[in-house]
Amino acid sequence: SGQMGIVIDNPTASVGEVRGSGMPMVHAIKETSVLRGKVRVGDLLISVDEVDCRGMSATQVTRVISGRSGNAERILILLRGSSSALGNC
């Protein structure tokens, strides 16, 4: 997690699910996250500040987010996903 208080993962494919599509997704949301109530576990991360994150690993996405930590605001584009079997931390 970072200053935004979310944990990003790039899970492997599960039978019958969209997960593992090569897109990073929100794995967990900290109780203190500024994004709590706006972002859901299972949401797919499309971009951060106009940087395309599709196909990036969780580590690469974390670097993109960290590299922009000095910005007062960040623009996240997410695709609402499924939250089945994942929880908050």
Side-chain angles (χ1 to χ4, degrees):
S1 71
Q3 293 176 334
M4 293 191 300
I6 59 174
V7 177
I8 301 294
D9 193 12
N10 200 333
T12 58
S14 298
V15 176
E17 295 186 27
V18 177
R19 290 193 287 156
S21 60
M23 294 175 63
M25 94 178 189
V26 177
H27 179 72
I29 305 165
K30 298 273 186 185
E31 291 288 334
T32 57
S33 174
V34 296
L35 297 174
R36 191 161 190 80
K38 299 174 185 164
V39 175
R40 295 182 191 167
V41 169
D43 285 356
L44 301 174
L45 183 61
I46 306 297
S47 69
V48 175
D49 293 335
E50 299 182 4
V51 174
D52 189 350
C53 295
R54 293 173 290 183
M56 285 188 180
S57 69
T59 302
Q60 290 170 316
V61 171
T62 300
R63 285 185 189 135
V64 170
I65 293 170
S66 296
R68 298 177 181 308
S69 62
N71 296 1
E73 294 182 356
R74 290 188 221 143
I75 299 171
L76 302 178
I77 305 296
L78 297 139
L79 178 64
R80 185 67 71 206
S82 168
S83 60
S84 62
L86 295 176
N88 294 333
C89 60

